[in-house]
Amino acid sequence: MARIKIEGMEAVTKELNRIRDAQAPAIKRAIEDSVKFGEKAAVDAIFARYGFRSRSYIEQHLSVSFDPRSLKGFITARYRASTLTRFARALTRTGKNGGSRPDGHMISALRNQPTWFKGTFTLIGRNGNQIMFQRHKGDNSWRKLKGQKAMYGPSVAGSFSKIRDDIEPPIIAHLRNKYGQYANR
């Protein structure tokens, strides 16, 4: 922590340092609370805007940290693209014999804005995660999967970058409120 020094006025320097030391715990607690509040606000905003099926996936890929020496809090997110199956709902249709047949997926990368992807199918990839591919009528190259590209949606970090400006004012208000509470104790 930085110390304040005024040349020739040792008593003023001591008083300023005393005031700063008295306020440091209130500032620290306010920032810690605001970082936690910011994480929850980010999860809520991402879930409201994007079509992730579960909040736990977003929570799992957001991380928060706090450095008490510099009094800085950080919210970071994973940059790896999310597989499109996180936004998809399988569709079926009735076949000729009355049985149910797969009919692609309804994908909502943005919440409540579904798009029908006909000819999509999922399989388990090398990493054990479920990935999605699309085939077109008459195209059997998907059988080899060589040269095929899996379909991906937005990453949690990309989603966070879009909502960051929206959650900044509530976090600032929360920080001011918490600092006011802790400073007046």
Side-chain angles (χ1 to χ4, degrees), residues 44-53 58 87 108-112 154-156 158-163:
D44 292 343
I46 291 170
F47 189 75
R49 180 179 168 101
Y50 293 93
F52 289 103
R53 286 187 285 171
I58 302 166
F87 308 94
S108 293
L110 291 175
R111 189 154 309 280
N112 299 324
S155 68
V156 175
S159 305
F160 180 65
S161 69
K162 290 289 186 186
I163 58 97

Side-chain angles (χ1 to χ4, degrees), residues 20-170:
R20 186 186 183 291
D21 291 342
Q23 292 301 312
I27 294 169
K28 180 182 173 220
R29 288 184 64 194
I31 292 172
E32 284 177 332
D33 286 355
S34 297
V35 167
K36 292 173 190 168
F37 176 82
E39 179 187 27
K40 184 181 179 327
V43 169
D44 292 343
I46 291 170
F47 189 75
R49 180 179 168 101
Y50 293 93
F52 289 103
R53 286 187 285 171
S54 70
R55 288 178 191 268
S56 63
Y57 179 79
I58 302 166
E59 290 169 351
Q60 181 181 357
H61 293 97
L62 271 179
S63 61
V64 295
S65 60
F66 175 70
D67 184 7
R69 286 174 282 144
S70 65
L71 295 177
K72 290 183 180 177
F74 302 95
I75 301 173
T76 55
R78 184 178 87 159
Y79 282 96
R80 192 169 139 204
S82 303
T83 179
L84 209 52
T85 57
R86 299 239 172 246
F87 308 94
R89 180 174 47 94
L91 297 175
T92 57
R93 63 184 165 107
T94 306
K96 292 179 184 175
N97 299 332
S100 180
R101 296 183 49 168
D103 196 26
H105 289 82
M106 190 63 72
I107 298 171
S108 293
L110 291 175
R111 189 154 309 280
N112 299 324
Q113 294 182 11
T115 304
W116 179 35
F117 279 67
K118 187 173 182 171
T120 55
F121 60 97
T122 60
L123 55 96
I124 304 298
R126 290 188 195 138
N127 298 345
N129 57 342
Q130 195 174 26
I131 53 178
M132 183 178 288
F133 291 92
Q134 184 175 21
R135 74 174 192 90
H136 300 284
K137 191 170 185 165
D139 179 18
N140 285 329
S141 64
W142 62 271
R143 292 182 189 272
K144 296 181 185 104
L145 296 181
K146 189 171 187 170
Q148 295 287 331
K149 298 288 183 187
M151 299 170 72
Y152 289 95
S155 68
V156 175
S159 305
F160 180 65
S161 69
K162 290 289 186 186
I163 58 97
R164 189 174 44 212
D165 293 338
D166 298 338
I167 65 171
E168 195 172 19

Side-chain angles (χ1 to χ4, degrees), residues 4-23:
I4 300 169
K5 185 175 181 183
I6 299 174
E7 295 294 324
M9 301 179 127
E10 288 80 21
V12 173
T13 301
K14 285 182 182 178
E15 182 60 19
L16 287 173
N17 285 329
R18 185 195 67 75
I19 292 170
R20 186 186 183 291
D21 291 342
Q23 292 301 312

